[in-house]
Amino acid sequence: MRVKDLIEELENFDPDSEVVFSYDYGDYWDTIVAAPAERIDQGFVTYSAYHQQDKVVEMRDDEMDSDGPVRNVVIISA
């Protein structure tokens, strides 16, 4: 998803609606929980084979042991 896609999608919602992130809690019942979205930042991610997904990295030499290129992204955090 790109920022423009997110903006387009959000235009369909009430601007006073609360924003949350949902994720699988990892319990026996596969409960989906929701955490409030609290920050929007610009940062860097790279693919991690260990995690089998992107991970957030700092632009330092000791963080450059990635499995792919470092990408500049918008990060929404809970």
Side-chain angles (χ1 to χ4, degrees):
M1 177 177 282
R2 302 279 180 202
V3 170
K4 66 181 180 179
D5 302 321
L6 180 59
I7 291 168
E8 185 177 309
E9 287 294 322
L10 289 174
E11 288 176 344
N12 298 316
F13 293 94
D14 178 349
D16 291 322
S17 296
E18 185 178 359
V19 177
V20 299
F21 285 99
S22 66
Y23 61 94
D24 187 329
Y25 187 72
D27 60 7
Y28 175 80
W29 302 275
D30 291 323
T31 305
I32 303 298
V33 295
E38 297 179 350
R39 293 180 26 198
I40 299 177
D41 296 304
Q42 193 165 16
F44 300 94
V45 297
T46 188
Y47 183 77
S48 165
Y50 176 79
H51 300 97
Q52 297 183 350
Q53 62 187 21
D54 287 337
K55 68 176 183 176
V56 176
V57 296
E58 298 291 327
M59 290 300 291
R60 301 184 318 227
D61 290 338
D62 61 338
E63 288 283 358
M64 302 316 294
D65 59 344
S66 64
D67 299 322
V70 174
R71 300 184 323 280
N72 190 346
V73 298
V74 174
I75 302 172
I76 303 174
S77 305

